[in-house]
Amino acid sequence: MDHFLYRDGELFAEDVPVADIAAAVGTPFYLYSTATLTRHYQLFDDALDGMEHMVCYAMKAASNQAILKTLADLGAGMDVVSGGEYARAKAAGVPGERIVFSGVGKTRAEIRAALEGGIRQFNVESEPELLVISEIAASLGKTAPITVRVNPDVDAKTHAKIATGKSENKFGIPIAKARAVYAEAAALPGIDVIGIDVHIGSQLTDLEPYELAYRKVADLTEQLRADGHNIRRLDLGGGLGIPYTRSNEAPPLPSDYGALIKRTVGHLGCEIEIEPGRLIAGNAGILVSRVIYVKEGEGRNFLILDGAMNDLIRPAMYDAHHDIVPVVEPDAGVEQQPYDIVGPVCESGDTFAKNRMMPPLRAGDLVAFRSAGAYGAVMASEYNTRPLVPEVLAKCDQFAVIRQRPDFDEIINRDTIPPWL
Ligand code: LLP
């Protein structure tokens, strides 16, 4: 459920007409709903009720500080995967004790910054990384709380580019090697082994892979405890999928997922962490764009928008589907027609949808890409020297620009011409 609904024939973000924001900000822009972000966070928090837990938002999904602060004020922790994300979470006011550091290639500088600024735990992804964390922590006279990310060799049944839990993926330590790595970790200076981490992929629409993975984690917890480790926290990753179409998709609910967690690992008495990103931010954001031209092609009509693949890469990168709706609600019974919906970027990959049935649209009309809140703005670029797309946050009848559209000078002045030219 989200808070982008038609009222009197017009699309609203909560209590604000989307067209008013477009008039004030220009297009394209991302628009988020505070109520939807809040609701989705709350669903996870409620799903884990009765267990000691922390919902650590995977901020890679949408990392604007206004979004981070909205969630942190509700009690969320953050899952970060780079020094930049760590710094951004801190800047948004998230204390280090609520920040989990994931990622397969943490650099020395990133590890040092997190140890100095405070960290809830590192999710360690390899033995070399473990040694580096130990060395840096010991040299700073600190202790690094760690989990080891295990790779359970489970098929997440999702898009190949976003599956992470098979042995062929670069992520984690093979679960069969885990006991040896924990023994090594326990003997190292500057390391406090606190738990286990697992994350098997993104946009999971079936709970079965979670069930398989979490049962393996439960078994491993018991083995590691028998080996003498004080396993007291389980980070179960993120990845729960969202509906991208309004029609027939019904992925599992956070409450089903919470029940699964209780069923598979609840008996262990561990504190539970989860790292959802997409389910919190995905349907809490839309991309608003304007039709520049309607072009008649050979046997097809192109809807040429002012938004492009640099603003929303998911269709080009993952063949992802986003519902695209007109901001002015079509009259009931209006006949739909097929369009190829494209952006102005100079490559054919800049296509959002082919043969998409839409009500008739004209130059100047506004459209909204639904389910664009996660992995939308964060994956945007300035390809074709198109300004990085701005972001707006709505709350009830208010809205605020939370990232300005840069002007051309800001973009161009980042380049430096060397003295020999
Ligand atoms: N934890 C870890 C360690 C992750 O790698 C990820 C996502 C998450 C949590 C959050 O997963 P979520 O709940 O958002 O599914 N750009 C792609 C998605 C990449 C996901 C990468 N890792 C897309 O647009 O579909």
Side-chain angles (χ1 to χ4, degrees), residues 58 60 79 102 149 162 199 202-203 238-240 275-278 314 318 375 379:
K60 62 166 79 68
D79 171 54
S102 298
R149 176 168 176 184
I162 53 174
H199 170 78
S202 194
Q203 186 54 17
L240 198 60
E275 302 168 351
R278 190 190 309 266
R314 302 192 69 261
Y318 313 108
Y375 307 109
M379 294 180 80

CSV table of all heavy atoms in Angstrom, one decimal, residues 58 60 79 102 149 162 199 202-203 238-240 275-278 314 318 375 379, ligand 1:
chain,number,residue,atom,x,y,z
A,58,ALA,N,18.5,-0.8,4.7
A,58,ALA,CA,19.6,-0.9,3.7
A,58,ALA,C,19.6,0.4,2.9
A,58,ALA,O,18.9,0.5,1.9
A,58,ALA,CB,19.4,-2.1,2.8
A,60,LYS,N,21.3,1.8,0.8
A,60,LYS,CA,21.7,1.8,-0.7
A,60,LYS,C,20.4,1.9,-1.5
A,60,LYS,O,20.5,2.4,-2.6
A,60,LYS,CB,22.4,0.5,-1.1
A,60,LYS,CG,21.6,-0.8,-0.9
A,60,LYS,CD,22.2,-2.0,-1.6
A,60,LYS,CE,23.4,-2.6,-0.8
A,60,LYS,NZ,23.0,-3.2,0.5
A,79,ASP,N,22.0,-0.1,7.5
A,79,ASP,CA,22.9,-1.0,6.9
A,79,ASP,C,23.7,-0.3,5.8
A,79,ASP,O,23.1,0.2,4.9
A,79,ASP,CB,22.2,-2.2,6.3
A,79,ASP,CG,23.1,-3.1,5.5
A,79,ASP,OD1,24.1,-3.6,6.0
A,79,ASP,OD2,22.8,-3.4,4.3
A,102,SER,N,28.1,-3.6,6.0
A,102,SER,CA,28.2,-4.8,5.1
A,102,SER,C,29.0,-4.5,3.9
A,102,SER,O,29.5,-3.3,3.7
A,102,SER,CB,26.7,-5.1,4.6
A,102,SER,OG,25.9,-5.4,5.7
A,149,ARG,N,29.5,-13.1,7.4
A,149,ARG,CA,28.4,-13.4,6.4
A,149,ARG,C,28.7,-14.7,5.8
A,149,ARG,O,29.7,-15.0,5.1
A,149,ARG,CB,28.4,-12.3,5.3
A,149,ARG,CG,27.4,-12.6,4.2
A,149,ARG,CD,27.2,-11.4,3.3
A,149,ARG,NE,26.2,-11.7,2.3
A,149,ARG,CZ,25.9,-10.9,1.3
A,149,ARG,NH1,26.5,-9.7,1.3
A,149,ARG,NH2,25.1,-11.2,0.3
A,162,ILE,N,20.8,-9.8,-9.1
A,162,ILE,CA,20.6,-9.4,-7.7
A,162,ILE,C,20.4,-10.6,-6.8
A,162,ILE,O,20.0,-10.5,-5.7
A,162,ILE,CB,19.4,-8.4,-7.6
A,162,ILE,CG1,18.1,-9.0,-8.2
A,162,ILE,CG2,19.8,-7.1,-8.2
A,162,ILE,CD1,16.9,-8.1,-8.0
A,199,HIS,N,22.6,-12.9,3.7
A,199,HIS,CA,21.7,-12.2,2.8
A,199,HIS,C,21.8,-12.9,1.4
A,199,HIS,O,22.8,-13.0,0.9
A,199,HIS,CB,22.2,-10.7,2.6
A,199,HIS,CG,21.5,-10.0,1.6
A,199,HIS,ND1,20.2,-9.5,1.7
A,199,HIS,CD2,21.8,-9.7,0.3
A,199,HIS,CE1,19.8,-8.9,0.6
A,199,HIS,NE2,20.8,-9.0,-0.3
A,202,SER,N,17.9,-10.1,-3.6
A,202,SER,CA,16.9,-9.0,-3.5
A,202,SER,C,15.7,-9.3,-4.4
A,202,SER,O,15.8,-10.1,-5.4
A,202,SER,CB,17.6,-7.7,-4.1
A,202,SER,OG,16.9,-6.5,-3.8
A,203,GLN,N,14.6,-8.6,-4.1
A,203,GLN,CA,13.3,-8.8,-4.8
A,203,GLN,C,12.9,-10.3,-4.8
A,203,GLN,O,12.6,-10.9,-5.8
A,203,GLN,CB,13.4,-8.3,-6.2
A,203,GLN,CG,12.1,-8.3,-7.1
A,203,GLN,CD,10.9,-7.6,-6.4
A,203,GLN,OE1,11.1,-6.9,-5.4
A,203,GLN,NE2,9.7,-7.9,-6.8
A,238,GLY,N,18.3,-8.6,3.9
A,238,GLY,CA,17.1,-8.0,3.4
A,238,GLY,C,16.6,-8.8,2.2
A,238,GLY,O,16.7,-10.0,2.2
A,239,GLY,N,15.9,-8.1,1.3
A,239,GLY,CA,15.6,-8.8,0.1
A,239,GLY,C,14.1,-9.1,-0.2
A,239,GLY,O,13.7,-9.5,-1.3
A,240,LEU,N,13.2,-8.8,0.8
A,240,LEU,CA,11.8,-9.1,0.6
A,240,LEU,C,11.3,-8.3,-0.6
A,240,LEU,O,11.5,-7.1,-0.6
A,240,LEU,CB,11.0,-8.9,1.9
A,240,LEU,CG,9.7,-9.6,2.0
A,240,LEU,CD1,9.8,-11.1,1.9
A,240,LEU,CD2,9.0,-9.2,3.3
A,275,GLU,N,17.8,-6.3,7.2
A,275,GLU,CA,18.3,-5.2,6.4
A,275,GLU,C,17.4,-4.9,5.2
A,275,GLU,O,17.9,-5.0,4.1
A,275,GLU,CB,19.7,-5.5,5.9
A,275,GLU,CG,20.7,-5.9,7.0
A,275,GLU,CD,22.0,-6.5,6.4
A,275,GLU,OE1,22.0,-6.8,5.1
A,275,GLU,OE2,23.0,-6.6,7.1
A,276,PRO,N,16.1,-4.6,5.4
A,276,PRO,CA,15.3,-4.4,4.2
A,276,PRO,C,15.6,-3.0,3.6
A,276,PRO,O,15.8,-2.0,4.3
A,276,PRO,CB,13.9,-4.4,4.8
A,276,PRO,CG,14.0,-4.0,6.2
A,276,PRO,CD,15.4,-4.5,6.6
A,277,GLY,N,15.6,-2.9,2.3
A,277,GLY,CA,15.8,-1.7,1.6
A,277,GLY,C,14.6,-1.4,0.7
A,277,GLY,O,13.7,-0.5,1.0
A,278,ARG,N,14.4,-2.3,-0.3
A,278,ARG,CA,13.4,-2.1,-1.3
A,278,ARG,C,12.0,-2.0,-0.7
A,278,ARG,O,11.2,-1.2,-1.1
A,278,ARG,CB,13.5,-3.3,-2.3
A,278,ARG,CG,12.6,-3.1,-3.5
A,278,ARG,CD,12.5,-4.3,-4.4
A,278,ARG,NE,13.8,-4.9,-4.7
A,278,ARG,CZ,14.5,-4.7,-5.8
A,278,ARG,NH1,14.1,-3.9,-6.7
A,278,ARG,NH2,15.7,-5.3,-5.9
A,314,ARG,N,16.7,1.1,-14.0
A,314,ARG,CA,16.3,-0.3,-13.7
A,314,ARG,C,15.7,-1.0,-15.0
A,314,ARG,O,16.0,-2.1,-15.2
A,314,ARG,CB,15.3,-0.4,-12.6
A,314,ARG,CG,15.9,0.2,-11.2
A,314,ARG,CD,15.0,-0.1,-10.0
A,314,ARG,NE,15.1,-1.6,-9.7
A,314,ARG,CZ,14.1,-2.4,-10.1
A,314,ARG,NH1,13.0,-2.0,-10.6
A,314,ARG,NH2,14.3,-3.7,-9.8
A,318,TYR,N,17.9,-4.2,-15.7
A,318,TYR,CA,17.3,-5.5,-15.3
A,318,TYR,C,16.1,-5.8,-16.0
A,318,TYR,O,15.4,-6.7,-15.6
A,318,TYR,CB,17.0,-5.4,-13.8
A,318,TYR,CG,18.0,-4.8,-12.9
A,318,TYR,CD1,17.8,-3.5,-12.3
A,318,TYR,CD2,19.1,-5.5,-12.5
A,318,TYR,CE1,18.7,-3.0,-11.4
A,318,TYR,CE2,20.1,-4.9,-11.7
A,318,TYR,CZ,19.8,-3.7,-11.1
A,318,TYR,OH,20.8,-3.1,-10.3
A,375,TYR,N,16.3,2.1,-5.4
A,375,TYR,CA,17.3,1.9,-6.5
A,375,TYR,C,16.9,2.8,-7.7
A,375,TYR,O,17.1,2.4,-8.8
A,375,TYR,CB,17.4,0.4,-6.8
A,375,TYR,CG,17.7,-0.5,-5.6
A,375,TYR,CD1,16.7,-1.3,-5.1
A,375,TYR,CD2,18.9,-0.4,-5.0
A,375,TYR,CE1,17.0,-2.0,-3.9
A,375,TYR,CE2,19.2,-1.1,-3.9
A,375,TYR,CZ,18.2,-1.9,-3.3
A,375,TYR,OH,18.5,-2.7,-2.2
A,379,MET,N,20.7,5.3,-8.1
A,379,MET,CA,21.5,4.8,-9.3
A,379,MET,C,21.5,5.7,-10.4
A,379,MET,O,21.9,5.4,-11.5
A,379,MET,CB,20.8,3.4,-9.7
A,379,MET,CG,21.0,2.3,-8.6
A,379,MET,SD,20.3,0.7,-9.1
A,379,MET,CE,21.5,0.1,-10.2
B,1,LLP,N1,21.6,-6.3,2.7
B,1,LLP,C1,22.6,-6.5,1.8
B,1,LLP,C2,23.9,-7.1,2.2
B,1,LLP,C3,22.4,-6.2,0.4
B,1,LLP,O1,23.3,-6.5,-0.5
B,1,LLP,C4,21.1,-5.7,0.0
B,1,LLP,C5,20.9,-5.4,-1.4
B,1,LLP,C6,20.1,-5.5,1.0
B,1,LLP,C7,20.4,-5.8,2.3
B,1,LLP,C8,18.8,-4.9,0.7
B,1,LLP,O2,18.0,-5.7,-0.2
B,1,LLP,P1,16.5,-5.2,-0.5
B,1,LLP,O3,15.7,-5.4,0.7
B,1,LLP,O4,16.6,-3.8,-1.0
B,1,LLP,O5,16.1,-6.1,-1.6
B,1,LLP,N2,19.8,-2.4,-7.8
B,1,LLP,C9,19.0,-3.6,-7.7
B,1,LLP,C10,19.0,-4.1,-6.3
B,1,LLP,C11,20.4,-4.4,-5.7
B,1,LLP,C12,20.3,-5.0,-4.3
B,1,LLP,C13,21.7,-5.1,-3.7
B,1,LLP,N3,21.7,-5.5,-2.3
B,1,LLP,C14,17.6,-3.2,-8.2
B,1,LLP,O6,17.4,-2.1,-8.7
B,1,LLP,O7,16.8,-4.1,-8.3
